[in-house]
Amino acid sequence: MSLARLPIIVGFGGFNAAGRSSGHHAYRRLVIESLGAQERQETLAGLAVMMGLIGVVDGNYCDHSGEALSLADIEMRFGAEILDGTLIRRIDKTFFDVDAAHWQKSATLGAGDTPLVVEMRRRDLPEPVPADWQVEEIDTDRVRVVSPSGLSVKFDSYRDLPVKSAGQLPRGFNPGALYNSHYHPRALQLAVIGASDALQSTGLEWQVIIDSVKPDQVGVYASNVMSQMDENGFGGLLQSRLKGSRVSAKQCPLGLNTMPADFVNAYILGSVGQTGAITGACASFLYNLQAAADDIASGKCRVALVGCAEAPIVAEIIDGYATMGALASEDKLKKLDGVDEADPRRTSRPFGENAGFTMAEASQYIVLMDDALVIELGADVHGAVGDVFINADGFKKSISAPGPGNYITMAKAVASARAILGDEAVQKRSLVQAHGSSTPQNRVTESQIFDQIAQVFGITEWPVAAVKAYVGHSLSAASGEQLIASLGVFKYGIVPGIKTIDKVADDVFADRLAISTVDVVRKEPIDVAFLNSKGFGGNNATASVFAPHVVDSMLACRYGQEAFALYQAKRAKVRNSATAYDAAALKGDFATIYHFGEGLIDESLITVDQNHVNLPGFAQAIDLDFGNRFADMFG
């Protein structure tokens, strides 16, 4: 039997409401109260630089007057402001004013017995002029219009938005400032900086990686759900006629939901390999992860970037989800808590008394390699993908309601992990990263699934975490945020508590679950994390992710102790490079990778024969020597 290649996570990065993902800093923000002083202060300093609260001169932190700052100084002077400007919070006015969101109010002027008379410029007349309008010339430029039936108009108006909180990037951080992002929609800005962060976190130069594989053995799998709906994407495209403005040449192509993959291929990697942009509502990251992991396991792909980038903090998108009743509005929270003013930081409450989910923006990318390439290059190990299972719900009454498909994905994921790691690992050293959307329906249905699966597999006190309590629901990127948090748990052994709830709701099925409202420091390491996602439309997915110490043991077994020792020596150097990038990024030097118009392939230099395609700039050729895999079907 041919053995499967193991898809190993060798790098990860991105940006969300908790900050930068690489170096585990976004995870650290989630458990900041439970960290030691050095780690806590490093993460706070990095956030302070991102937020523009402090600067860096000659490699040293300083305030805006030039006074040098120690890590302790930064925490003392800016700690409260940093914490207040991260995670879920009231929507910043850089997006829009939630108390006065722009609207259009329809009205009819002059609809009584007296005709409406207005003066206007001739060039502003509508085309065609309404049949009942009487147009009189005032001069060469202006006309007088008499409208017997009145005039329908739309006035600029401003209304209170019922939803006032979101998971936003750290206050003051501008993702577009990290590279030449002119006219890029915000989601694509997030895609560029997130993918670049992930790639640099590997500690390996991309040229070294690409020279080690064939050009078509690289894959990029990334997407988003809501496309790009701001002014520079589909939002501006769809609004242009109504606003009387022109469509730009970029709004249509840059609005496509394939762009989080396309931009990585075209401007970061220069890849000619496999590409895919798979969407499955809130499970989209896991859909892309499944495609990448399957291609690596089969040998079709040897290195892959997987991710999602979503920027849905747009008034129209919030309107849509709020009208469905899916979001936690201020009024619902006030009623739930019996207070006059809702806490904007406690809107997302997985498995507690809740009122809906909280919208968020995020970009999360990981770098996968097969085990042989990891050994060859000395790549670091942050975890590995066991399996990803995707199942639909069957017939549905409500397209947005949860359904039975998640029973299948969870059961298969746990059964698969048990087959690989054994009963004890699943029963005693596993963790669930819940979808945890913070809706009343989700807390019941998802917990019931977990509790039933735990009973079947003999699990008691199953740790359940829900990162949406901190960062909100970033739609396509949500499962990526669960993965990034799991990698942090593997490293630090701290399971983030659901701190936005006072207690687990009475209707939650929790007999065999351990849902904590405080951080939990594990006495023994977690071997496997189960990432669970329940997307609108019946898009259920569950993934198993193995911890680094488990992967190391697997590698040593497959390649032998001598080869593994040589690998560890290589890995030490790679880790030093990754640490150097992290240190630079903490001081604001992200060195974002963005190649616009560089390294274009001269198609006149491409050579093709019956066995190979050779591309200029690539060390290895693409193989055309295919066997007949259906040979048994021919006489």
Side-chain angles (χ1 to χ4, degrees):
M1 182 179 71
S2 178
L3 296 174
R5 304 182 186 208
L6 182 64
I8 296 177
I9 302 167
V10 301
F12 62 95
F15 294 83
N16 66 359
R20 173 172 59 94
S21 298
S22 65
H24 299 287
H25 291 287
Y27 164 81
R28 287 186 187 183
R29 174 61 186 90
L30 307 186
V31 296
I32 200 134
E33 306 93 333
S34 303
L35 295 176
Q38 179 70 22
E39 292 161 338
R40 181 182 70 249
Q41 290 172 356
E42 280 181 354
T43 291
L44 288 173
L47 283 167
V49 174
M50 286 178 62
M51 298 167 71
L53 300 176
I54 64 174
V56 177
V57 176
D58 296 329
N60 299 309
Y61 295 116
C62 62
D63 63 19
H64 292 310
S65 67
E67 180 183 347
L69 296 169
S70 68
L71 292 178
D73 292 335
I74 295 169
E75 180 176 25
M76 182 178 65
R77 290 180 54 180
F78 301 101
E81 189 173 357
I82 294 166
L83 298 180
D84 183 67
T86 49
L87 306 186
I88 291 172
R89 58 194 188 275
R90 185 179 174 86
I91 295 174
D92 294 335
K93 290 187 178 180
T94 50
F95 293 97
F96 51 85
D97 187 342
V98 292
D99 295 322
H102 188 246
W103 221 272
Q104 292 281 332
K105 192 167 187 178
S106 298
T108 301
L109 304 181
D113 297 333
T114 304
L116 178 70
V117 180
V118 297
E119 293 184 4
M120 60 192 302
R121 292 183 301 177
R122 183 187 299 274
R123 70 178 187 179
D124 291 338
L125 285 169
E127 300 173 6
V129 174
D132 66 341
W133 278 21
Q134 301 165 20
V135 181
E136 303 172 8
E137 184 175 308
I138 298 175
D139 54 37
T140 56
D141 181 53
R142 299 187 63 77
V143 296
R144 179 179 293 105
V145 175
V146 179
S147 175
S149 60
L151 179 66
S152 295
V153 297
K154 292 186 185 299
F155 292 115
D156 279 343
S157 185
Y158 298 88
R159 295 184 185 177
D160 180 80
L161 201 69
V163 174
K164 299 187 184 300
S165 294
Q168 304 148 86
L169 297 185
R171 184 178 296 131
F173 176 61
N174 177 13
L178 300 189
Y179 74 104
N180 184 16
S181 61
H182 199 44
Y183 295 120
H184 287 177
R186 188 173 177 89
L188 298 191
Q189 295 176 9
L190 292 176
V192 169
I193 66 173
S196 174
D197 184 46
L199 189 61
Q200 294 189 89
S201 77
T202 64
L204 291 162
E205 293 291 335
W206 175 245
Q207 194 62 50
V208 172
I209 298 172
I210 194 63
D211 285 349
S212 303
V213 299
K214 295 180 173 63
D216 60 339
Q217 292 177 325
V218 174
V220 174
Y221 308 78
S223 64
N224 58 19
V225 175
M226 301 306 299
S227 302
Q228 283 61 252
M229 292 301 292
D230 58 19
E231 180 65 26
N232 291 317
F234 280 164
L237 176 81
L238 298 175
Q239 294 171 1
S240 60
R241 285 181 178 269
L242 297 177
K243 288 183 174 181
S245 60
R246 294 176 180 269
V247 173
S248 79
K250 292 185 176 182
Q251 285 169 325
C252 185
L254 296 191
L256 296 172
N257 68 350
T258 64
M259 287 293 144
D262 300 340
F263 259 52
V264 172
N265 286 318
Y267 302 123
I268 295 177
L269 301 183
S271 173
V272 298
Q274 172 80 15
T275 185
I278 309 171
T279 57
C282 312
S284 293
F285 183 93
L286 293 186
Y287 277 49
N288 287 292
L289 182 64
Q290 184 196 57
D294 286 352
D295 283 351
I296 286 180
S298 69
K300 181 178 180 181
C301 177
R302 300 203 65 197
V303 56
L305 254 71
V306 182
C308 286
E310 197 87 62
I313 307 177
V314 177
E316 292 86 347
I317 294 177
I318 291 177
D319 277 342
Y321 283 98
T323 303
M324 293 169 57
L327 299 184
S329 69
E330 191 171 51
D331 286 344
K332 286 194 288 186
L333 291 167
K334 288 179 182 177
K335 184 177 180 180
L336 182 66
D337 294 341
V339 296
D340 295 330
E341 187 172 346
D343 184 350
R345 301 185 67 84
R346 293 185 61 245
T347 58
S348 181
R349 307 175 187 181
F351 302 111
E353 293 294 339
N354 49 35
F357 75 80
T358 301
M359 196 70 72
E361 60 179 352
S363 168
Q364 302 295 352
Y365 282 78
I366 63 170
V367 183
L368 293 177
M369 287 183 184
D370 69 36
D371 53 271
L373 189 60
V374 167
I375 292 292
E376 177 186 341
L377 298 180
D380 204 354
V381 172
H382 301 287
V385 181
D387 276 300
V388 184
F389 296 101
I390 297 169
N391 291 91
D393 283 337
F395 290 116
K396 298 178 73 73
K397 182 177 180 180
S398 167
I399 196 67
S400 60
N406 198 206
Y407 280 92
I408 305 171
T409 64
M410 273 299 301
K412 289 166 74 173
V414 176
S416 166
R418 182 184 65 168
I420 298 169
L421 303 181
D423 281 317
E424 186 175 322
V426 168
Q427 292 171 350
K428 297 182 179 180
R429 296 187 297 277
S430 70
L431 162 75
V432 176
Q433 286 285 358
H435 179 64
S437 63
S438 183
T439 65
Q441 195 171 32
N442 173 262
R443 75 182 184 224
V444 175
T445 58
E446 190 174 21
S447 66
Q448 186 172 20
I449 293 169
F450 295 162
D451 203 61
Q452 187 169 337
I453 297 299
Q455 183 176 7
V456 169
F457 289 94
I459 304 170
T460 58
E461 296 296 312
W462 206 2
V464 175
V467 297
K468 290 181 180 68
Y470 298 89
V471 297
H473 192 351
S474 54
L475 305 179
S476 66
S479 309
E481 302 199 88
Q482 293 168 251
L483 174 55
I484 297 301
S486 299
L487 302 183
V489 174
F490 292 154
K491 181 173 177 64
Y492 293 95
I494 304 172
V495 179
I498 304 176
K499 301 169 195 170
T500 56
I501 65 174
D502 299 318
K503 69 181 186 68
V504 176
D506 293 337
D507 55 2
V508 169
F509 290 78
D511 290 347
R512 289 175 172 264
L513 308 183
I515 303 174
S516 176
T517 59
V518 297
D519 295 339
V520 177
V521 180
R522 294 276 303 179
K523 294 180 180 178
E524 57 181 340
I526 293 288
D527 285 354
V528 57
F530 298 105
L531 318 181
N532 193 50
S533 188
K534 298 164 71 69
F536 284 178
N539 291 285
N540 305 283
T542 309
S544 59
V545 180
F546 303 152
H549 65 271
V550 173
V551 180
D552 278 354
S553 176
M554 295 169 72
L555 290 174
C557 185
R558 174 169 281 186
Y559 293 93
Q561 288 296 338
E562 184 176 347
F564 185 71
L566 293 173
Y567 156 71
Q568 286 180 303
K570 292 182 185 178
R571 182 166 74 177
K573 297 178 181 178
V574 172
R575 283 179 172 175
N576 288 338
S577 296
T579 300
Y581 166 69
D582 182 47
L586 281 171
K587 295 185 175 178
D589 183 8
F590 297 99
T592 300
I593 302 169
Y594 184 72
H595 305 292
F596 181 78
E598 303 173 26
L600 301 180
I601 296 173
D602 185 346
E603 294 182 38
S604 67
L605 299 179
I606 298 174
T607 61
V608 183
D609 59 39
Q610 290 191 7
N611 298 312
H612 301 96
V613 176
N614 289 277
L615 301 174
F618 290 88
Q620 298 192 34
I622 295 172
D623 192 1
L624 299 181
D625 188 14
F626 292 97
N628 182 2
R629 64 184 187 277
F630 304 113
D632 65 310
M633 303 179 75
F634 293 87

